[in-house]
Amino acid sequence: MRDIDGDKNNYTLLSDFYEFTMSNGFFKSNLKDKIVSFDLFFRSVPDNASYAILAGIEQMVEYLEHLNFTDEDIAFLEKKGMFDSEFLKYLRNFKFECNVWAIPEGTVIFPNEPLVIVKGPAIQAQFIETMLLLTINHQSMIATKANRICISAEGRPVIEFGSRRAQGHSGAMLGARASYIGGCVGTANTLAEKAYGVPAMGTMAHSWVQLFDSEYEAFKKFAEIYPDNCLLLVDTFDTLKEGIPNAIKVFNEVLLPKGYRPKGIRIDSGDMAYLTKKARKMLDNAGFEDCKIMASNSLDEFTIQNLLLQGAKVDSFGVGERLITSKSSPVFGGVYKLTTVFEDGEMIPKIKISENVSKITNPGFKNLYRLYDNETGIAMADVITLHDEVIDDSKEYEIFHPIYTWKRKRLNNFTAKSLLVPIYEKGKLVYELPSIEEIRNKVQEEVETIWEEVKRFDNPQEYIVDLSEKLWEIKDELLKSHGKGIK
């Protein structure tokens, strides 16, 4: 949410226009103070995967902390000629007063789980929909893609190279942040280090080589300037006949006499499996077994996995457009739906019904538990409950499929952890935002708790996300009242 000079921007008007038409309608219908709750959740994981990584909570907080209507905003809305003068006066004095719960950034998440719950006056809870979805959808998509790419690299470092292909500067900035959270070791985006602490990395482009009279002279000058960080781009002309031989010559003539070892070479085009295997032999034969080989150019988790299966000799990867845009599956389908209206202290659950079963919402004011096997530490299942329900992990607990209810399983010797934490209480921030390093470490810890079968790229095992008996009964009754029903 920071502009390039580091100042906070006011994104209050970055909202779907229907938020204003509905808010004006709520105001004129005396519904502005009606207490409601909304759930933010997503319906499916990009790339037909089974799990995702939650990111964007920090930017959600920044937005809510600066949610206000300036005089210019009010004047702009007044010119639309659609809004009641008393409603505009209300906006001029707008103060966010909702309660907000969220799953912490870096947590492994699954479809249909409440990632963020907002409870408060109808106008306020409804109005923030667009920006909450924008921040959570974008960064969760990129963090998830980055995590999959890093898993495919099998421990080899991955650097995010995508700024020039991102959708705008905010996409580049927040994409770099989310990529680092997901597991990348750094970014090519220099500003991302200043703004978010994501390590900025890079050496040279092909233009460096082209500006000199020869490739050898280009490599020699770079080695003289950066002897302790000499990584050479070797594919400008001919990788095997010119690039690598010239690199080896410079390593011997410039680096070794000064007591330095080369950091590596980078290959950005061609048959990566073939070229890296040949390059490895050439470097080893020249006595540079410690010289690393970096591969870049149109990589993602699928191409990296295939390269390694073919025996490619790659030590690190630079991944650009297919990461920063999540090119193979560029939409994270988060939605924001009304789930509850509160009347005189009573919870009135609300449901959205569709002929498309996946679009039927889970009603009610909720909580979310993750159940961990005490012997292995592996997550066994998630259970969506009513807000005041407590899962007693000292007793046996039965889970069941919310649609195919005959699919049941009894769990013993487990620990139940509530995933949602308070972020705001009556509009006051009560949550201490973790550092980006803490979030990144959390991702690594979280992924370790998921079965390998859930993490595989092809036909992953579906992770269990069930409803509690009480929540399921509420949903079933609402469906029956509209001529539907789960049973």
Side-chain angles (χ1 to χ4, degrees):
M1 309 301 294
R2 298 178 178 86
D3 203 350
I4 58 174
D5 61 1
D7 290 341
K8 300 287 194 305
N9 286 320
N10 182 350
Y11 286 93
T12 302
L13 292 188
L14 204 170
S15 173
D16 288 296
F17 192 67
Y18 74 17
E19 309 294 4
F20 288 99
T21 59
M22 286 191 292
S23 293
N24 185 61
F26 290 157
F27 186 90
K28 297 190 71 173
S29 302
N30 296 317
L31 293 172
K32 71 179 180 66
D33 295 321
K34 175 77 71 177
I35 302 301
V36 302
S37 71
F38 282 82
D39 287 2
L40 189 158
F41 61 96
F42 70 109
R43 295 191 175 109
S44 61
V45 186
D47 291 308
N48 296 314
S50 186
Y51 76 95
I53 304 294
L54 179 63
I57 297 299
E58 180 177 321
Q59 282 63 48
M60 177 191 80
V61 168
E62 287 184 0
Y63 163 70
L64 294 175
E65 286 292 280
H66 299 86
L67 187 60
N68 68 89
F69 292 87
T70 66
D71 291 342
E72 290 80 7
D73 294 338
I74 299 300
F76 169 79
L77 293 171
E78 190 173 23
K79 288 181 180 178
K80 297 291 290 184
M82 296 178 58
F83 302 119
D84 185 88
S85 61
E86 289 300 310
F87 170 65
L88 294 177
K89 182 179 179 181
Y90 164 81
L91 292 185
R92 189 183 303 273
N93 300 306
F94 185 91
K95 182 180 179 182
F96 185 67
E97 298 173 324
C98 293
N99 292 344
V100 180
W101 296 261
I103 298 175
E105 278 196 273
T107 303
V108 168
I109 53 174
F110 300 95
N112 301 311
E113 299 181 334
L115 311 180
V116 178
I117 295 177
V118 179
K119 178 184 178 184
I123 286 182
Q124 298 182 28
Q126 175 69 66
F127 180 77
I128 63 177
E129 173 185 13
T130 304
M131 275 299 292
L132 264 59
L133 286 173
L134 186 156
T135 57
I136 301 300
N137 277 336
H138 174 243
Q139 289 200 62
S140 296
M141 177 181 72
I142 303 303
T144 300
K145 188 68 169 180
N147 188 253
R148 287 167 57 83
I149 289 171
C150 291
I151 287 176
S152 73
E154 299 179 358
R156 297 167 178 82
V158 176
I159 303 171
E160 181 271 306
F161 271 13
S163 296
R164 63 192 64 185
R165 303 288 172 80
Q167 277 92 349
H169 62 81
S170 64
M173 291 293 293
L174 295 174
R177 178 185 187 271
S179 297
Y180 189 62
I181 287 172
C184 291
V185 300
T187 176
N189 182 346
T190 309
L191 185 55
E193 179 167 350
K194 178 184 176 184
Y196 303 118
V198 182
M201 303 174 178
T203 55
M204 64 167 62
H206 293 109
S207 57
W208 173 273
V209 177
Q210 293 170 297
L211 277 168
F212 288 83
D213 292 335
S214 69
E215 186 177 56
Y216 168 76
E217 288 297 322
F219 288 173
K220 183 173 182 290
K221 180 57 68 174
F222 194 88
E224 290 171 348
I225 298 172
Y226 303 107
D228 59 344
N229 187 36
C230 186
L231 190 149
L232 303 176
L233 180 60
V234 298
D235 73 320
T236 304
F237 304 117
D238 189 307
T239 302
L240 299 181
K241 291 183 179 179
E242 297 182 55
I244 296 175
N246 281 327
I248 291 172
K249 185 177 181 181
V250 168
F251 295 160
N252 283 315
E253 293 180 355
V254 178
L255 298 185
L256 294 189
K258 294 182 178 182
Y260 292 99
R261 301 291 296 179
K263 284 292 189 296
I265 63 170
R266 177 163 71 96
I267 302 174
D268 190 53
S269 60
D271 187 328
M272 291 293 176
Y274 172 77
L275 290 175
T276 58
K277 284 186 278 190
K278 288 289 187 180
R280 183 74 273 158
K281 288 182 179 179
M282 294 170 69
L283 291 168
D284 289 353
N285 291 338
F288 296 108
E289 296 89 350
D290 57 336
C291 182
K292 305 297 185 182
I293 299 175
M294 183 180 194
S296 54
N297 183 38
S298 298
L299 301 174
D300 60 16
E301 67 268 44
F302 306 107
T303 53
I304 290 174
Q305 186 180 62
N306 287 333
L307 282 173
L308 296 182
L309 286 173
Q310 295 170 50
K313 302 298 182 182
V314 183
D315 298 294
S316 64
F317 296 94
V319 184
E321 64 184 52
R322 296 189 184 185
L323 166 55
I324 205 69
T325 65
S326 190
K327 185 177 180 180
S328 60
S329 192
V331 176
F332 195 88
V335 294
Y336 188 76
K337 298 297 181 183
L338 178 73
T339 61
T340 318
V341 173
F342 296 86
E343 294 274 7
D344 300 321
E346 181 184 357
M347 182 188 82
I348 303 173
K350 298 291 182 176
I351 192 170
K352 162 69 173 68
I353 298 176
S354 171
E355 292 301 318
N356 184 340
V357 175
S358 68
K359 290 194 172 184
I360 298 175
T361 62
N362 291 319
F365 186 40
K366 305 181 192 68
N367 199 356
L368 175 66
Y369 285 90
R370 183 156 295 166
L371 312 184
Y372 295 90
D373 187 309
N374 285 338
E375 292 184 2
T376 65
I378 297 295
M380 305 162 68
D382 286 7
V383 181
I384 306 172
T385 71
L386 295 176
H387 187 76
D388 58 357
E389 281 190 83
V390 176
I391 294 181
D392 185 352
D393 52 21
S394 69
K395 300 177 181 178
E396 182 177 79
Y397 188 79
E398 185 176 67
I399 59 175
F400 63 95
H401 195 286
I403 297 177
Y404 309 112
T405 56
W406 52 270
K407 290 185 176 183
R408 292 175 176 260
K409 184 177 182 180
R410 293 182 177 181
L411 304 180
N412 291 282
N413 191 27
F414 67 93
T415 296
K417 179 183 178 182
S418 177
L419 296 187
L420 291 158
V421 299
I423 308 295
Y424 282 88
E425 291 182 1
K426 296 183 178 180
K428 180 180 178 181
L429 181 65
V430 295
Y431 180 68
E432 184 176 347
L433 291 168
S435 70
I436 194 168
E437 295 295 339
E438 290 173 322
I439 299 170
R440 187 170 185 271
N441 291 337
K442 183 176 180 63
V443 171
Q444 308 308 313
E445 295 168 0
E446 284 274 316
V447 172
E448 290 297 316
T449 69
I450 305 301
W451 290 110
E452 292 300 321
E453 291 83 354
V454 175
K455 292 184 281 189
R456 67 188 175 215
F457 297 157
D458 295 323
N459 299 313
Q461 176 65 41
E462 182 179 1
Y463 181 80
I464 297 172
V465 178
D466 288 345
L467 306 183
S468 71
E469 190 85 34
K470 290 182 179 179
L471 179 55
W472 182 89
E473 289 174 353
I474 289 173
K475 183 175 184 178
D476 188 46
E477 286 301 317
L478 286 172
L479 287 170
K480 287 178 177 177
S481 71
H482 292 278
K484 311 293 182 180
I486 301 175
K487 295 178 182 177

